[in-house]
Amino acid sequence: QNVRINPSSISYQMWKDIPVPFYLSVHFFEVLNPKEVLQGAKPVLGQRGPYVYREYRNKTNITFHDNDTVSYLEYRKLFFQPHLSNGTEDEYIVVPNILMLGAAVMMEKLPDFVKSLLSTALTLLKQQAFMNRTVGEIMWGYEDPLINAINMIVPGLIPFKGKFGLFIDFNNTNTGLFTVNTGMKDITQVHMVDSWNGLKKVNYWRSNQCNMINGTSGEMWPPFMSPTSLEFYSPDACRSMTLVYEQSGKFQGVPIYRFVAPKTLFANGTDYPPNEGFCPCMQSGIQNVSTCRLNAPMFISHPHFYNADPSLVDAVEGLHPSKEQHGLFLDVHPMTGIPMNCSIKLQLNLYIKHVDGIKQTGDIKPVVLPLVWFAESGSIEGSVLKQFYTNLVLLPSVLDYVQYIFLGLSVPLILSAAVLMAMTQRSAGEKSPGAPGRQNKPPSASSETTPLLQDTDT
């Protein structure tokens, strides 16, 4: 009952305003040889960061429904943490001109005169394939006249106005309207998503299976978990994701199941047919998210192309994938379904290439270029961890010990009772007239043990 979504349950306040300190750590890939890349050379990358942000989450518009579901909006607010970061938001980084190179690939199959118009506009606006921007601009947006120019040449190609930034939709925004099960009638369904933004499934992908909204919203799971797998719907990835059980362990003394990403998570349709619906695909290890990212040639993957086709790593210099640094994980307390420790890591990549008719693309060879990777991490600590440990580890252990103490005390009591019973039976046997080894004596005056009828002849 305490894990149901109910204002009277113990976990309700934890669900409503997550007390776990979450951090967003962002690493940028700086292009160290932009001029050479334009001439057809392999990109050489240098990792910058991390730039760390404290993330606060809170739920609003909480509405309970008659069908045992509850709807809510969850907002995220991010605050830069200089003392945890390796650099400031004012630092400059050389990165691809995402708008320009993305638009070039998107316009590749359009008539030559349209591409010529774009190339002319790029020249007038002094746009180049690579740009030198501050961390803050790349994160939270910058004004770019290219947005209006592209929309004039190809209306609707970039369906937004104003600033452009990679994380502009991450701060002071919500993740969509989630409607989840409260578990009031069926505890096995608590936190399971009923709909997202009113949808039972999305329409980004090419198969019903890939469009399904499965699992929870990624914050809690039903209790009494089995060591198999867990699912959640990620609005950021535009899809449901399945993690698989890796091992059991303990976090600060609390039992946990660790779940990790299978190698098939971002596999292409050839290597893993169920992922065919996410195509058009390239190599395994990257997922095309253009259909949910304004049709831009964007791909998501594990950081440094961990668990991806080696050709992706070899196409650039400066990547060093490893499980310890780049593998995502989720440590969940199986009895309650509450995560104790997690780090969800993703990388954003841009497909760039030379496009005929757009001279600013130079002789760039086709490559999936890493832009940034980030980790959303958090763990239960402080008073919340202490309460968790006390209620779910310490008290059950004490009860177990008490159980054994009672069992230990009961043994001599049982033995004592057995001895007393034996002694009582023996005493009763000695007083019995037919007891062996005993000589008959004349009966005395009537008593409770004297026969009422006696043979007077003896």
Side-chain angles (χ1 to χ4, degrees):
Q1 294 184 359
N2 287 325
V3 297
R4 292 176 174 138
I5 304 178
N6 186 304
S8 63
S9 70
I10 292 176
S11 63
Y12 178 78
Q13 197 60 39
M14 178 185 291
W15 170 82
K16 181 177 180 292
D17 297 303
I18 297 176
V20 177
F22 272 93
Y23 293 91
L24 176 70
S25 301
V26 182
H27 303 256
F28 286 97
F29 291 103
E30 181 169 32
V31 180
L32 302 179
N33 62 335
K35 292 181 180 179
E36 290 77 8
V37 173
L38 275 169
Q39 296 169 0
K42 178 189 294 189
V44 178
L45 306 178
Q47 182 173 287
R48 298 280 296 273
Y51 303 93
V52 182
Y53 299 82
R54 175 72 160 88
E55 182 176 334
Y56 293 90
R57 301 180 183 183
N58 73 291
K59 294 180 175 65
T60 62
N61 292 38
I62 299 174
T63 306
F64 287 88
H65 306 291
D66 294 335
N67 63 343
D68 296 311
T69 62
V70 58
S71 299
Y72 63 88
L73 293 172
E74 183 171 80
Y75 282 83
R76 296 181 290 200
K77 292 184 178 181
L78 299 169
F79 298 90
F80 185 62
Q81 306 291 298
H83 64 290
L84 298 176
S85 303
N86 183 24
T88 70
E89 288 190 311
D90 297 326
E91 292 181 345
Y92 280 85
I93 299 179
V94 177
V95 294
N97 188 333
I98 302 169
L99 282 174
M100 192 207 89
L101 292 174
V105 173
M106 293 165 70
M107 297 174 64
E108 183 178 18
K109 295 182 179 180
L110 293 182
D112 289 341
F113 80 90
V114 177
K115 290 185 286 186
S116 178
L117 283 175
L118 176 62
S119 186
T120 302
L122 293 173
T123 300
L124 294 174
L125 295 173
K126 298 181 180 180
Q127 293 279 338
Q128 297 181 350
F130 295 91
M131 60 185 185
N132 195 16
R133 295 277 184 181
T134 68
V135 170
E137 288 176 324
I138 302 169
M139 287 283 296
W140 311 121
Y142 55 89
E143 299 285 350
D144 196 330
L146 181 59
I147 297 175
N148 292 331
I150 292 174
N151 281 328
M152 286 180 61
I153 298 170
V154 185
L157 185 70
I158 302 178
F160 64 88
K161 297 180 179 179
K163 291 184 176 182
F164 170 77
L166 290 178
F167 289 83
I168 198 167
D169 292 331
F170 244 65
N171 202 10
N172 293 316
T173 57
N174 64 73
T175 53
L177 182 67
F178 273 100
T179 301
V180 302
N181 200 295
T182 61
M184 295 302 292
K185 288 185 177 179
D186 185 356
I187 193 62
T188 65
Q189 294 299 304
V190 65
H191 301 298
M192 302 297 282
V193 176
D194 180 73
S195 66
W196 176 73
N197 282 340
L199 302 172
K200 296 290 185 178
K201 63 178 183 179
V202 296
N203 59 359
Y204 301 127
W205 315 112
R206 306 193 318 179
S207 73
N208 287 330
Q209 181 178 351
C210 292
N211 279 321
M212 291 175 66
I213 297 176
N214 297 325
T216 72
S217 63
E219 293 179 343
M220 295 182 184
W221 281 265
F224 312 115
M225 302 179 71
S226 60
T228 52
S229 64
L230 60 76
E231 290 183 300
F232 62 95
Y233 178 72
S234 169
D236 297 325
C238 310
R239 57 167 288 188
S240 298
M241 303 177 77
T242 300
L243 305 186
V244 295
Y245 170 81
E246 182 185 52
Q247 63 184 13
S248 299
K250 288 188 176 181
F251 174 78
Q252 302 292 339
V254 179
I256 56 96
Y257 286 166
R258 170 160 287 194
F259 296 89
V260 298
K263 290 185 177 181
T264 56
L265 184 63
F266 297 133
N268 61 26
T270 302
D271 292 344
Y272 187 62
N275 281 356
E276 182 65 35
F278 293 122
C279 293
C281 298
M282 296 179 70
Q283 300 97 317
S284 270
I286 56 176
Q287 182 189 319
N288 189 337
V289 291
S290 60
T291 53
C292 74
R293 290 288 178 253
L294 310 177
N295 290 318
M298 304 294 289
F299 292 79
I300 58 173
S301 67
H302 295 299
H304 285 243
F305 292 134
Y306 169 67
N307 266 351
D309 190 303
S311 64
L312 292 164
V313 179
D314 295 338
V316 299
E317 291 185 17
L319 299 184
H320 307 284
S322 74
K323 178 181 179 181
E324 292 71 24
Q325 296 184 50
H326 307 126
L328 65 83
F329 68 87
L330 197 59
D331 293 341
V332 185
H333 182 248
M335 183 185 297
T336 60
I338 296 176
M340 303 299 298
N341 183 31
C342 68
S343 185
I344 305 300
K345 303 169 184 176
L346 289 174
Q347 179 171 295
L348 196 59
N349 312 279
L350 178 68
Y351 178 62
I352 62 174
K353 59 179 294 188
H354 160 77
V355 177
D356 289 337
I358 303 177
K359 66 180 182 179
Q360 285 78 6
T361 60
D363 294 318
I364 297 175
K365 290 185 177 180
V367 63
V368 179
L369 188 66
L371 300 175
V372 60
W373 76 267
F374 58 94
E376 279 191 288
S377 307
S379 60
I380 291 182
E381 58 184 36
S383 60
V384 178
L385 175 62
K386 185 176 180 180
Q387 182 182 7
F388 210 97
Y389 180 81
T390 300
N391 292 336
L392 296 173
V393 179
L394 192 60
L395 287 180
S397 298
V398 170
L399 291 176
D400 281 342
Y401 284 124
V402 170
Q403 170 182 296
Y404 289 120
I405 289 172
F406 279 130
L407 180 60
L409 290 175
S410 67
V411 170
L413 289 175
I414 292 171
L415 290 175
S416 298
V419 170
L420 287 173
M421 184 178 295
M423 291 177 65
T424 303
Q425 290 177 346
R426 182 178 179 185
S427 176
E430 288 177 350
K431 294 180 181 181
S432 174
R438 182 182 169 198
Q439 296 185 6
N440 292 332
K441 293 183 180 180
S444 57
S446 294
S447 70
E448 290 181 356
T449 59
T450 302
L452 296 178
L453 296 175
Q454 298 183 18
D455 186 357
T456 57
D457 295 334
T458 57

